[in-house]
Amino acid sequence: MGALVVRILLWFVPCVAAWYWLAPAADGLVASGARVLANLVVKDVVREVEVASGLVTFVTAMSVKGQAGVLTVDANPRLFTYGFALFAAIVLGARARSAWWSLPLGALVVSLVGMWGVAFDVLGHLVRSAPEALHARGVTQGTVNFIALGYQLGSLVLPAVVPAIVAVAICWKQLAGNGPVP
């Protein structure tokens, strides 16, 4: 088991570097999915999404009373997609024969987690900065509580836990010592 942990740790650094280098390519996908999810939770709240330099700007359909213009919210999708490095390090460190299909699957899962995290980060920002505007759009206290739960899950739990669970599920035989590990 010690050799497995060492292999995972040795893979972790290059996996973090690869994630950091490839993250800009995933930002648009994560932003688009986050827009859809945010609009499902609060009907038509996001009008546009702009992606530039690792930052996603959400142009909302809301305005704050007494101020001109619409409210924009910035989010960093990389705060929610770092789990791919952990996923890839576990799969590669376990020497899983399924790496050829599990790495793209992990990228998809991490992207979905990122979409959740970004969407609820944006919605959480709106709850904190413009509660009156949300209330005027018909957002109930139950929805606000759901946004708070979604924010906590999306920022604290899902980005690290989901990729690890998926990686362990895929590599279970290798990690448990029951499968072939050359």
Side-chain angles (χ1 to χ4, degrees):
M1 185 60 117
L4 172 66
V5 172
V6 169
R7 283 195 311 271
I8 291 171
L9 290 174
L10 288 174
W11 272 109
F12 188 67
V13 172
C15 288
V16 168
W19 161 76
Y20 186 77
W21 185 64
L22 294 170
D27 290 348
L29 171 68
V30 171
S32 297
R35 176 183 181 178
V36 169
L37 184 56
N39 283 335
L40 286 173
V41 176
V42 177
K43 187 171 174 31
D44 299 325
V45 70
V46 177
R47 286 187 184 160
E48 262 182 69
V49 177
E50 300 167 2
V51 181
S53 301
L55 193 64
V56 179
T57 301
F58 291 84
V59 180
T60 71
M62 298 174 34
S63 59
V64 178
K65 189 175 181 176
Q67 296 182 8
V70 296
L71 188 61
T72 62
V73 178
D74 293 332
N76 181 352
R78 295 173 197 167
L79 294 174
F80 308 99
T81 60
Y82 64 85
F84 182 70
L86 175 63
F87 174 85
I90 293 171
V91 169
L92 295 170
R95 297 182 180 163
R97 292 184 177 154
S98 60
W100 67 272
W101 64 264
S102 61
L103 291 176
L105 173 68
L108 175 65
V109 169
V110 170
S111 294
L112 293 172
V113 167
M115 291 172 194
W116 177 281
V118 170
F120 282 96
D121 184 36
V122 168
L123 293 171
H125 182 78
L126 294 176
V127 166
R128 292 185 301 275
S129 64
E132 300 85 17
L134 280 174
H135 181 69
R137 292 184 63 83
V139 174
T140 65
Q141 186 60 43
T143 303
V144 170
N145 291 341
F146 177 68
I147 291 169
L149 175 64
Y151 174 77
Q152 293 298 322
L153 288 173
S155 61
L156 298 175
V157 178
L158 299 177
V161 173
V162 170
I165 288 172
V166 173
V168 168
I170 288 171
C171 301
W172 182 250
K173 286 182 182 178
Q174 290 83 6
L175 294 172
N178 300 328
V181 178

